[in-house]
Every structure is written in structure tokens, then in C-alpha cells.
Amino acid sequence: MHFPEYRARRLRRTETLRSMVREVHLNVQDFILPYFVHHGKGIKTPLPSMPGHFQLSAELLVKELREPVDRGIPAVLLFGIPETKDSAASGAHAKNGVVQQAIRRIKDAYPDLVVITDVCLCEYTDHGHCGVIRNNDVDNDPTLDLLAKTALSHAYAGADIVAPSDMMDGRVAAIRESLDESGFEWLPIMAYSAKYASGFYGPFREAAQSAPQFGDRRSYQMDPANTDEALREVSMDVEEGADLIMVKPALPYLDVIWRVRNAFDLPLVAYNVSGEFAMIKAAAQNGWIDGDRCMMEALTSIRRAGADLIISYHALEAARILQDGTKASRKK
């Protein structure tokens, strides 16, 4: 193709033409919306670093879900903030724990909404790490039993998908075995397969009150420099029984999403994490960028890289824009 016979601008002339030949389309059905469920009642605590998001008690969460459900967002991801924490993360698998109660309330109110539960221990431990501590580090194998108990408690409460985010070796197999033995062989596992030890989790750790009280998580989360390792991690999760696989974070790891997409044919999820969300929000509030435009561009890039589903704190705002127009995210 040579100019002037081929003019690429011919198909860019109007929005209708651009839309007709667009290679990647965002849809409301692509999104999973995360929530922070806090123990107690009447709680709606704003998260300063994540504008528009809150710590919510279960009954107020049910009310907040009305608009996402009406707009067709298909799934939510729940993180729990318990009343008390201890070294054994006992609140993570309690029958009437904060997430377990929230699952039941949500499924009663919105039976068709897919409820995904984060299966990890950092929100429930007093030390803020994702498992049992021994010699100032997480002891992998004893942690697997607690993760399996937590996933099973979510299944009994009515979760539609369990999502282990701990990055322990062998956790998918342990959870799969526990679920199958208890009659939940139909329940999918969405594995945080390639979860990096990222600096982009800061706002989340404040929101979930899960910052480590000593050290960091680099002994079990992945080194940001590695991509071959990501393929090995995903491969192990697939072999152990994962039904959906995930790369987290999203925007700094679009190359990893692309590599995973080309290597595996399972549904691929990308987590557009709290720090990615907060940067766009902060820049928009300072008038440095068009927040709506940059949000949609970022989300499109994640789909373009190969993700089938996107976990994002932008999800509701993006749904408003897709359905109502470019000013929808500014509605009160």
C-alpha cells in the first residue's frame, strides 16, 4: 500500500467510521468491580486515595450494588475487613465472617450477580502477611490448609468463584481438592497466577488495612523484572485446576498479559489495581489530564493486550460512559 492510493485517514474521518473499523471494543460485560466489606453496620468510610470507593458494611454494600447490577456489570470481587485480626487469620474462614455474611446478603438480593471472593489471609492476620509466619517469612505448606479452609467457607456461603491471591506454591491444587471433596467440584477457581511484588498496591493496602507489619512480600510475590517466570506460574496453576488465570497489576505488565494470552487458552483476567486507578484520579483532579478519556484508553489497552476480563475500580464509571456518554462519570 502506498500513498496516495491508500489513505489511512479515510476511515478515521467520523466517529461512526472509526467505531465500525475499531479492532478492540470495551463492553460492560468485560468488567469485575471490587468492593471492601467492613464488619459492622452502617459503615460507609471514604477511601481518600481511591475517590468514589468506600469501606462498606454488608447491608450498605447491597444498596450500592443496585446501579452496577442495573448497568449489567456481571461480577463483583469481595475483600473483607474483619472486626479482629490474629496470627492464624481465623476470621478468614469463620462461618459468619465478614465476607461470608456479605456473600449471603448479596446472593439473596441479586441471585444472578457473580460473586467472586478473594482468598487470601493478609486482611485477617495481625502481621499483614499472606500466611503462617515462621522465621520471619511465610511458611508455604501450612498456609495451604488455611487457604483451602477459607475457600471452602466461601463456597458454603454461596460464592460463585473463589480467587486465591496469596501466591503460595500449590494453593490451587489444595483448594481444588478441598472443594471437590466437599461437593463443590463445579465451583471455578480464578487464580492470581502472575501476581507481582508491585509498588502499585499502596491504596489497596490502606483500604483493606492489610499492609505488612514487617518486611515485605517479595519472597512470595513475583519479581517485576520477570516474564518467563510468569508463564511457569500460570502453567502450574492450569495444571493444578485453575479455571481462570490472572495477571496483576495490568498497565505496567501489558507485555505479560500478551505473552500469557498467546500461551494459554483459558479465560484471562487482568487486575487494573488501586495504584493505577489512583494515578489517573489524582492527575485528573489536578487538571493535568482528561480523566475519563485516559481511563477508557487505559482499559482499552488492557483488552488490546489480550485480557478477556478486567478487574477495575473504574468499572462503574466506565459502564456509565459506555452506556450514557462521555460526561456520565461526573454524574452525582
Side-chain angles (χ1 to χ4, degrees):
M1 299 181 186
H2 300 284
F3 176 82
E5 289 83 4
Y6 176 72
R7 292 178 179 265
R9 290 183 60 187
R10 288 177 183 140
L11 297 179
R12 301 175 191 157
R13 191 166 50 87
T14 69
E15 175 55 31
T16 302
L17 283 171
R18 291 192 294 272
S19 179
M20 288 173 63
V21 299
R22 191 162 291 146
E23 298 173 24
V24 174
H25 290 267
L26 280 177
N27 296 290
V28 174
Q29 292 77 18
D30 299 336
F31 297 126
I32 298 168
L33 182 55
Y35 282 98
F36 300 96
V37 191
H38 199 290
H39 71 92
K41 293 184 179 180
I43 295 170
K44 187 175 183 179
T45 305
L47 302 173
S49 60
M50 301 175 66
H53 289 270
F54 307 86
Q55 294 174 342
L56 293 161
S57 51
E59 87 285 359
L60 294 184
L61 171 56
V62 170
K63 293 180 180 179
E64 289 283 322
L65 286 173
R66 182 72 272 168
E67 184 183 0
V69 169
D70 287 346
R71 289 191 176 275
I73 291 177
V76 294
L77 174 61
L78 301 184
F79 298 93
I81 304 165
E83 182 175 8
T84 59
K85 304 186 180 195
D86 57 38
S87 61
S90 56
H93 52 80
K95 181 178 180 180
N96 291 311
V98 60
V99 165
Q100 290 81 353
Q101 291 185 50
I103 296 166
R104 290 190 283 267
R105 282 179 174 265
I106 293 169
K107 295 306 291 185
D108 284 344
Y110 310 107
D112 294 328
L113 181 66
V114 173
V115 176
I116 307 169
T117 57
D118 180 77
V119 177
C120 196
L121 307 181
C122 61
E123 300 130 73
Y124 304 91
T125 54
D126 52 13
H127 47 71
H129 279 284
C130 301
V132 177
I133 297 297
R134 184 172 297 168
N135 298 324
N136 286 327
D137 197 8
V138 173
D139 195 351
N140 192 96
D141 293 4
T143 299
L144 301 182
D145 292 336
L146 293 178
L147 293 168
K149 288 178 66 175
T150 300
L152 187 59
S153 74
H154 294 173
Y156 277 118
D160 297 293
I161 299 174
V162 293
S165 63
D166 54 283
M167 289 301 287
M168 297 299 112
D169 296 337
R171 78 281 175 63
V172 172
I175 291 170
R176 184 75 273 160
E177 182 179 2
S178 176
L179 292 173
D180 290 356
E181 288 178 351
S182 299
F184 292 101
E185 64 277 358
W186 48 268
L187 189 72
I189 296 174
M190 182 175 77
Y192 287 62
S193 298
K195 180 179 179 180
Y196 286 84
S198 172
F200 287 90
Y201 303 148
F204 171 91
R205 290 178 181 169
E206 179 183 357
Q209 299 174 3
S210 62
Q213 299 303 300
F214 62 90
D216 56 42
R217 296 175 180 162
R218 283 180 286 186
S219 73
Y220 46 102
Q221 294 178 357
M222 285 181 53
D223 189 322
N226 296 350
T227 59
D228 290 344
E229 182 186 5
L231 298 185
R232 294 195 294 271
E233 286 279 8
V234 174
S235 179
M236 287 190 293
D237 283 356
V238 171
E239 290 175 5
E240 291 176 19
D243 301 283
L244 304 95
I245 51 181
M246 187 196 302
V247 174
K248 179 184 180 181
L251 295 175
Y253 299 92
L254 295 176
D255 60 322
V256 179
I257 295 172
W258 176 252
R259 288 196 68 185
V260 172
R261 171 74 295 154
N262 284 287
F264 300 92
D265 60 4
L266 286 180
L268 175 57
V269 185
Y271 200 143
N272 178 219
V273 301
S274 60
E276 300 168 52
F277 172 87
M279 288 193 301
I280 288 178
K281 286 296 184 182
Q285 287 175 349
N286 280 285
W288 298 334
I289 62 171
D290 181 327
D292 287 351
R293 183 173 179 179
C294 290
M295 170 182 68
M296 299 304 284
E297 187 175 341
L299 294 171
T300 299
S301 76
I302 297 168
R303 284 281 287 118
R304 191 180 66 241
D308 299 300
L309 297 167
I310 304 171
I311 302 169
S312 180
Y313 303 94
H314 291 298
L316 182 55
E317 291 176 286
R320 290 170 182 159
I321 289 174
L322 290 169
Q323 294 173 341
D324 299 341
T326 57
K327 302 298 181 183
S329 68
R330 298 186 179 92
K331 288 183 177 180
K332 299 295 184 183

